[in-house]
Amino acid sequence: DSEDDRMCSDGSDAAPDLDLLPAVLRRPAIANHVAHDRVTVETMDREDHTFCGMMFDVRCTDELPVEWLEVTSVAVRGRLGPMTVWTTPSSHQDKWQSSAAWTKVYERSHAP
């Protein structure tokens, strides 16, 4: 083995001392915490509810590994009545007319 192939700068084959490694190299593979973010999206106001729903994609960036993403709420207002929430893998693009591509994850009637 050449000196470049050895694990430690002193030329030994001993495993490096983990306490001496920079924090970025000691980071666990899976996060041990939950990050909370809030996103507000400004949309056209349609107080008369002349729309039949809203569709949007949620995507994690690939800057850091992500094990899971949980959306805990979506705020809407007005005289809602029956409401459902649906999900589809990847993107909603080109799927809005394909009922087989969607899975219902929430259904409830909401009082005005």
Side-chain angles (χ1 to χ4, degrees), residues 34-72:
V34 175
H36 296 276
D37 286 327
R38 181 181 185 148
V39 178
T40 301
V41 179
E42 295 295 328
T43 59
M44 183 184 299
D45 192 4
R46 300 233 176 141
E47 291 181 20
D48 60 356
H49 287 244
T50 58
F51 58 91
C52 294
M54 59 182 161
M55 294 183 191
F56 54 91
D57 289 336
V58 177
R59 181 179 57 228
C60 297
T61 64
D62 58 359
E63 294 174 16
L64 294 173
V66 175
E67 185 176 2
W68 53 269
L69 173 77
E70 180 179 30
V71 177
T72 58

Side-chain angles (χ1 to χ4, degrees), residues 7-8 14-15 18 24 33-34 38 43-45 47 56 67 72 77-79 88 108-110:
M7 295 178 71
C8 296
L18 293 180
V24 69
H33 64 282
V34 175
R38 181 181 185 148
T43 59
M44 183 184 299
D45 192 4
E47 291 181 20
F56 54 91
E67 185 176 2
T72 58
R77 64 184 180 150
R79 298 168 83 65
T88 188
R108 190 168 141 195
S109 187
H110 293 267

Side-chain angles (χ1 to χ4, degrees), residues 5-24:
D5 292 336
R6 294 185 183 177
M7 295 178 71
C8 296
S9 61
D10 66 359
S12 71
D13 290 329
D17 185 354
L18 293 180
D19 290 334
L20 299 178
L21 288 175
V24 69

Side-chain angles (χ1 to χ4, degrees), residues 49 51-54 73-86 104-111:
H49 287 244
F51 58 91
C52 294
M54 59 182 161
S73 65
V74 175
V76 292
R77 64 184 180 150
R79 298 168 83 65
L80 299 175
M83 176 184 254
T84 57
V85 176
W86 300 77
K104 183 170 34 175
V105 296
Y106 178 86
E107 181 173 21
R108 190 168 141 195
S109 187
H110 293 267

